[in-house]
């Protein structure tokens, strides 16, 4: 039986992954090694018991007793805290889903990358913060990196059977998020509740707000650079409001290959779970007569400065990715607490990229974590008005 682990099993990507695992036979078909979560220990325990996992881990050390009592005498081991997450990600498994949100996913993802098996990557932040370290870990161990972000799964699928040196450009599609038709003035006063309501995709809170600012696409540009070894000038973004074309690859002869599907993450996750096979997945089949049209438009740099920031990060390298992501996460916390406005988030990221050392690639995980922490401290101080 295939041994699998899911890091971030209680989130949105975790739920889509578990749906596919359950449909494929659950505990009868898979040997579930580790499942991790954060505050929702009841859900984590219920899933771990149902799938007969070896271990359930909550990132929150203070919740260990809650997790233990929720697991009762099921025989599932309980663990808690950041080190326990890394230990769980290091337990031998054949396929590991990395779906923790944010830079918190970096250390467990790196541990999983060192296993030499298959790593399905939804946690784009680990490539943004430490792309070269993750790639080196995969290469050193012989780990197959399988993109689980819809755009990167699309690019990966478009590249199957193609030669990398003939790739001319990669075009990431973006839905444009809930504010794609709002003016800059209107965007100044939008609330967290409005920002989290994505028109096409049902996702976790962090990525939904990232879609509203288009920082999600900024992260994805950096993610694509590392995954597919691209130069900044080869990467483009186009707003495509229907989220049907998941991305496209253009080749030396002017030909383009696109991957299409409904906006359902089980498509990309299912591809990574079954790679290189394609199996029947529970996703809607596209009806082109009903769709009638697919729209494309250039993103507006005035309303979405995140895309300009991404170009700066692509030019500067890995440390700038760490700073962009940490500043963005800290600024998002300020927005969610209603301490700053929606457009202030990009301003704070710009300010952090000016204030912190950003050139070149970080040498080790500790360096990334220190730069991440410094950036958060600075941005939090700016939000509190202490600096
Ligand atoms: P989510 O918020 O729904 O779930 C996040 C998971 O991470 C949960 O299991 C939560 O318990 C865990 N978690 C939260 N804080 C943690 C911490 N400090 N330490 C350890 N674990 C923690 O998020 P999501 O939407 O499932 O997104 C997960 C990742 O996948 C993100 O990197 C996101 O960008 C990426 N992604 C998501 C989607 C989507 O459709 N949701 C699509 C593409 C990529
Ligand atoms: Mg995506």
């Amino acid at each position: 039986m295939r041994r699998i682990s899911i890091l971030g099993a209680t989130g949105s990507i975790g739920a889509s992954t578990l749906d596919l695992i359950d449909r494929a036979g659950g505990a009868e078909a898979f040997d579930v090694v580790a499942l991790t979560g954060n505050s929702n220990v009841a859900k984590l325990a219920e899933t771990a018991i149902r799938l007969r996992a070896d271990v359930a881990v909550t990132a929150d050390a203070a919740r260990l007793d809650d997790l233990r009592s929720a697991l009762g005498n099921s025989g599932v081991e309980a663990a808690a805290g950041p080190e326990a997450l890394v230990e769980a990600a290091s337990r031998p498994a054949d396929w590991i889903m990395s779906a923790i949100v944010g830079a918190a996913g970096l250390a467990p993802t790196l541990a999983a990358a060192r296993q030499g098996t298959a790593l399905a990557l939804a946690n784009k932040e680990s490539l943004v913060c430490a792309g070269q370290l993750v790639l080196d870990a995969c290469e050193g161990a012989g780990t197959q990196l399988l993109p689980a972000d819809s755009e990167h799964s699309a690019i990966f699928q478009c590249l199957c059977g193609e030669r990398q040196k003939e790739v001319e450009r990669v075009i990431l599609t973006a839905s444009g998020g809930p504010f794609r038709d709002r003016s800059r003035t209107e965007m100044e006063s939008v609330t967290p509740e409005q920002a989290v309501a994505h028109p096409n995709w049902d996702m976790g809170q962090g990525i939904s707000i990232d879609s509203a600012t288009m920082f999600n696409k900024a992260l994805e540009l950096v993610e694509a650079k590392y995954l597919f070894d691209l130069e900044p000038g080869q990467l483009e973004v186009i707003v495509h409001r229907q989220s049907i074309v998941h991305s496209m690859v253009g080749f030396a002869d002017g030909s383009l290959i696109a991957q299409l599907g409904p906006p359902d993450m089980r498509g990309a996750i299912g591809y990574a779970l079954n790679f290189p096979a394609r199996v029947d997945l529970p996703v809607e089949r596209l009806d082109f007569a009903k769709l009638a049209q697919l729209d494309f438009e250039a993103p507006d740099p005035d309303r979405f400065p995140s895309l300009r920031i991404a170009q700066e990060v692509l030019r500067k390298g890995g440390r700038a990715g760490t700073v962009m992501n940490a500043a963005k996460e800290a600024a998002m916390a300020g927005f969610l607490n209603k301490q700053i406005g929606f457009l202030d988030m990009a301003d704070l990221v710009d300010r952090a990229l000016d204030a912190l050392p950003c050139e070149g690639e970080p040498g080790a995980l500790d360096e990334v974590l220190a730069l991440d922490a410094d950036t958060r401290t600075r941005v939090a101080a700016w939000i509190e008005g202490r600096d």
Side-chain angles (χ1 to χ4, degrees):
M1 275 210 282
R2 194 142 65 121
R3 296 165 302 174
I4 61 162
S5 290
I6 305 173
L7 314 174
T10 55
S12 161
I13 290 287
S16 295
T17 308
L18 288 165
D19 180 68
L20 295 176
I21 300 288
D22 283 331
R23 286 168 192 266
E28 305 304 318
F30 296 91
D31 176 0
V32 179
V33 178
L35 299 177
T36 84
N38 192 25
S39 50
N40 195 344
V41 294
K43 187 170 169 186
L44 176 63
E46 181 268 318
T47 312
I49 294 167
R50 179 166 51 79
L51 290 176
R52 303 201 282 272
D54 295 343
V55 63
V57 187
T58 164
D60 184 351
R63 306 301 300 273
L64 181 59
D65 287 342
D66 294 344
L67 179 61
R68 272 210 188 103
S69 62
L71 287 168
N73 57 6
S74 62
V76 180
E77 191 185 327
E83 285 91 46
L85 284 180
V86 171
E87 193 277 327
S90 311
R91 290 197 187 195
D94 303 302
W95 187 88
I96 302 167
M97 167 54 82
S98 161
I100 290 172
V101 62
L106 173 56
T109 301
L110 262 179
R114 294 197 182 101
Q115 287 216 23
T117 51
L119 173 59
L121 191 70
N123 175 261
K124 58 194 90 185
E125 296 90 344
S126 56
L127 283 183
V128 174
C129 296
Q132 201 52 53
L133 294 178
V134 174
L135 293 186
D136 290 348
C138 288
E139 205 181 284
T143 297
Q144 165 105 58
L145 199 49
L146 296 164
D149 208 345
S150 60
E151 295 76 2
H152 305 76
S153 174
I155 297 162
F156 188 71
Q157 294 181 52
C158 293
L159 286 173
C160 278
E162 299 295 338
R163 289 190 290 193
Q164 176 82 21
K165 68 176 172 40
E166 292 160 353
V167 171
E168 188 174 69
R169 60 185 182 143
V170 165
I171 306 170
L172 295 175
T173 53
S175 68
F179 307 139
R180 61 194 171 205
D181 299 319
R182 301 276 185 110
S183 69
R184 206 179 142 85
T185 314
E186 286 171 321
M187 284 164 84
E188 270 166 19
S189 55
V190 293
T191 64
E193 293 72 26
Q194 291 169 315
V196 96
H198 198 279
N200 303 0
W201 298 91
D202 180 11
M203 310 184 286
Q205 182 187 61
I207 186 173
S208 298
I209 292 178
D210 284 347
S211 295
T213 55
M214 288 188 79
F215 265 113
N216 181 46
K217 217 47 58 179
L219 300 177
E220 291 183 354
L221 283 165
V222 182
E223 182 186 11
K225 167 186 140 155
Y226 286 105
L227 279 176
F228 306 111
D229 192 19
L230 299 164
E231 296 298 324
Q234 290 179 288
L235 283 157
E236 300 170 31
V237 172
I238 191 84
V239 174
H240 164 48
R241 58 182 58 225
Q242 292 91 356
S243 297
I244 297 293
V245 177
H246 295 316
S247 278
M248 303 177 249
V249 179
F251 295 91
D253 58 356
S255 185
L256 283 156
I257 299 183
Q259 189 265 341
L260 284 70
D264 183 334
M265 285 308 295
R266 292 175 303 178
I269 298 167
Y271 186 76
L273 181 61
N274 298 292
F275 179 81
R278 285 187 184 273
V279 307
D280 186 10
L281 294 176
V283 300
E284 186 194 329
R285 271 40 177 179
L286 292 179
D287 177 339
F288 281 85
K290 248 196 225 156
L291 277 173
Q293 73 185 66
L294 297 174
D295 297 297
F296 299 95
E297 61 197 283
D300 176 357
D302 288 335
R303 291 182 301 132
F304 299 103
S306 46
L307 296 176
R308 173 201 28 90
I309 292 173
Q311 287 300 330
E312 181 184 336
V313 170
L314 288 170
R315 276 197 312 276
K316 284 186 171 166
R319 291 194 181 96
T322 308
V323 171
M324 170 176 73
N325 183 67
K328 190 268 306 169
E329 289 188 21
M332 191 193 294
F335 174 65
L336 287 169
N337 287 333
K338 306 200 170 169
Q339 293 166 290
I340 58 169
F342 182 78
L343 294 174
D344 296 331
M345 287 190 275
D347 287 348
L348 287 168
V349 176
D350 259 331
R351 199 170 157 190
L353 283 165
D354 285 341
L356 286 128
C358 282
E359 300 288 338
E361 293 296 324
L365 177 60
D366 285 350
E367 192 194 325
V368 177
L369 298 178
L371 184 55
D372 175 279
D374 281 354
T375 306
R376 286 170 201 267
T377 308
R378 288 280 191 105
V379 174
W382 293 333
I383 292 173
E384 303 287 344
R386 282 185 275 116
D387 197 353

